[in-house]
Amino acid sequence: MTQNEHARPALYARGLKPAACIAAFVFLTLFCIRNIYSYDYWWHIASGKWILENGIMRADPFSFTARGAPLVDPYWLGQIILYAVGGFVVIFKTIIIVAAFFFSLLAASPRSRAASGAAKNASSPLPAAALVLLGAFVAHERFLCRPEMFTLLFSALTLWVLFVLSKRKKYAVFLIVGLTALWANMHPGWVLAPLLLGAYGGGRLLGRWLGFSVDSEGSRRELLTLAAAALCFVAALANPYFTQLVSYPFRLTLTTPHEIGAFVEWVSPLPRLASSLFSLELVHFKIMALTLVGSFILNYRRFDFGHAAIGGLTLALALTSYRHFGLFTLAAIPITLANLRPFWQERVVPLLDTKKLGIIHAAAAIAVIAFSVYYCEESVTNRYYAKRELYNMSFGIGVSDTSFSSFMFPLGASKGSTGRIF
């Protein structure tokens, strides 16, 4: 066999790998484009209009039974944006969600711009594309036209700054403080900024204390990260309600646990997971969680306590309520990729020659592309609706608990009408 023939599979794989990543993001885009099925959207745009006409809400202007009651509106800036976007809100939401996944992948980029060729080769887009597909199924119920979309984007930006920018410039972590000042006026999820910073800085300090030296820079970066976490609470005070808005998420959680539990999105998935551990119930979430944990086991030689702290925090939040599945997904993707990269490069690649690597990459890329294309087609049809009577819910199939929380791979299921919705 000639050298050119030997390298041909690698050349094929080189062209297929970016195609697989593009296909995964095309699927994610189509998966996000759906009808507005969250009733909260209408309240949010009505509030945005009211704020533009009358100023910041101080009392409830809408409720029949509580009209005039004191009100703290932690979504006020997000509501103005949703109202201003108007009829383009679905496209706007799709851009925000896709951007969140994009920054989540950027957070897994190699630590140094001067990375070796081997390291760059290990950063294959194939696992990234596969995790984007899996993550779309895990987080799809949070793809809503609500201010929550900003929390997903800002969480991904926070991870990118922590995992990438702060390793190039240690003071870049303070960018998150400025981001928090904006975040706090858009959604109560701003509390994730100091939580993520604290978990990362605290985890890395713990690793140093236990003798796991993650780098040779000393503990200065970790201390800066913890300082930024504290400053995030100060930055959050830059809002019209001052301390009332900062304390809002804590008061909401501590004073109304029973009322919050009445909403499905705040219910813990633990009972469902415990009763169906080895079934297809929530199989997408199970795969993502096992992949995350498995990646730490495979990369035990370079165990990063900062990554472990954030992974553990987001997994714990996801186990407390379905609402945090989106956050868990955006954190699991870069951490898993960062763990798998050295394992693949140091333990797997040396065992394979160029031809075998090319064949493996090509086969994986074809599988990702085929999966993406299949679900792209599903996302622009009304399949399953005739069977499940889910009409006017979305442009795709993955919107409700009935569709995907139980079965992630309904390839053999009976189909409804395949007529186009748009």
Side-chain angles (χ1 to χ4, degrees):
M1 179 179 290
T2 66
Q3 184 175 358
N4 289 337
E5 291 174 337
H6 190 272
R8 193 170 297 162
L11 292 175
Y12 291 158
R14 202 174 302 151
L16 286 171
K17 286 191 287 186
C21 209
I22 292 172
F25 268 93
V26 169
F27 160 71
L28 175 64
T29 301
L30 293 175
F31 207 39
C32 288
I33 299 176
R34 55 184 61 162
N35 282 338
I36 300 169
Y37 61 94
S38 173
Y39 297 140
D40 284 355
Y41 168 73
W42 310 108
W43 166 64
H44 285 307
I45 62 170
S47 297
K49 180 181 179 181
W50 194 96
I51 293 169
L52 287 176
E53 295 175 348
N54 303 280
I56 297 297
M57 285 187 185
R58 302 291 179 178
D60 189 342
F62 300 124
S63 299
F64 177 76
T65 56
R67 186 182 299 272
L71 175 68
V72 174
D73 184 6
Y75 315 97
W76 70 272
L77 184 56
Q79 291 168 338
I80 291 176
I81 294 174
L82 289 181
Y83 174 70
V85 171
F88 296 97
V89 66
V90 173
I91 300 301
F92 177 75
K93 180 259 302 189
T94 299
I95 293 172
I96 293 293
I97 298 298
V98 172
F101 273 79
F102 178 74
F103 278 105
S104 178
L105 290 181
L106 284 185
S109 63
R111 298 181 180 181
S112 172
R113 291 180 178 178
S116 65
K120 292 179 180 179
N121 182 53
S123 304
S124 170
L126 288 178
L131 286 174
V132 167
L133 288 174
L134 180 61
F137 290 111
V138 176
H140 72 272
E141 292 182 9
R142 310 316 309 164
F143 296 167
L144 303 172
C145 294
R146 289 162 53 172
E148 182 185 351
M149 71 174 84
F150 300 114
T151 281
L152 294 178
L153 176 60
F154 292 158
S155 296
L157 282 169
T158 298
L159 294 172
W160 175 57
V161 172
L162 270 180
F163 295 165
V164 179
L165 288 189
S166 66
K167 292 179 180 179
R168 297 173 182 172
K169 296 182 178 180
K170 53 182 175 289
Y171 291 105
V173 72
F174 291 100
L175 292 173
I176 301 174
V177 178
L179 181 67
T180 304
L182 175 65
W183 194 348
N185 291 279
M186 302 179 80
H187 191 263
W190 68 267
V191 295
L192 293 172
L195 283 178
L196 293 173
L197 286 167
Y200 189 70
R204 288 174 66 90
L205 281 178
L206 176 62
R208 290 186 185 280
W209 182 69
L210 294 176
F212 290 83
S213 180
V214 289
D215 54 47
S216 57
E217 297 182 6
S219 59
R220 186 174 183 181
R221 190 197 305 158
E222 287 77 23
L223 294 176
L224 288 174
T225 302
L226 293 176
L231 288 176
C232 283
F233 288 100
V234 178
L237 292 172
N239 69 80
Y241 302 96
F242 200 53
T243 57
Q244 286 184 306
L245 188 144
V246 173
S247 63
Y248 177 86
F250 304 100
R251 288 186 288 109
L252 182 68
T253 303
L254 295 176
T255 60
T256 57
H258 299 293
E259 289 82 353
I260 290 178
F263 296 97
V264 174
E265 63 185 28
W266 286 105
V267 172
S268 170
L270 276 175
R272 189 174 173 188
L273 288 169
S275 62
S276 59
L277 190 59
F278 300 104
S279 72
L280 292 178
E281 289 285 325
L282 294 175
V283 65
H284 48 305
F285 174 76
K286 295 174 183 176
I287 294 175
M288 181 67 84
L290 289 175
T291 302
L292 175 64
V293 174
S295 72
F296 279 107
I297 296 174
L298 294 176
N299 194 37
Y300 69 93
R301 293 182 177 180
R302 296 186 179 183
F303 193 86
D304 189 319
F305 277 79
H307 284 172
I310 288 184
L313 170 66
T314 55
L315 179 58
L317 289 173
L319 292 175
T320 61
S321 74
Y322 292 99
R323 187 183 181 93
H324 296 118
F325 274 23
L327 170 67
F328 167 69
T329 297
L330 294 174
I333 288 176
I335 294 173
T336 300
L337 291 174
N339 285 335
L340 292 180
R341 184 184 301 120
F343 170 77
W344 174 261
Q345 183 61 30
E346 298 171 5
R347 306 294 295 276
V348 178
V349 170
L351 303 177
L352 304 172
D353 57 28
T354 304
K355 180 180 179 180
K356 291 179 180 178
L357 277 175
I359 293 174
I360 291 173
H361 285 165
I366 291 172
V368 170
I369 292 172
F371 194 92
S372 300
V373 170
Y374 176 83
Y375 280 105
C376 280
E377 198 275 339
E378 293 279 300
S379 295
V380 294
T381 65
N382 64 346
R383 293 185 176 189
Y384 298 95
Y385 289 127
K387 177 181 177 181
R388 293 177 171 83
E389 297 182 358
L390 298 175
Y391 298 99
N392 298 321
M393 287 287 285
S394 85
F395 294 125
I397 56 173
V399 294
S400 72
D401 180 70
T402 309
S403 295
F404 264 117
S405 291
S406 298
F407 299 99
M408 179 180 169
F409 305 104
L411 298 178
S414 60
K415 311 289 185 182
S417 168
T418 59
R420 301 287 169 179
I421 290 183
F422 67 92

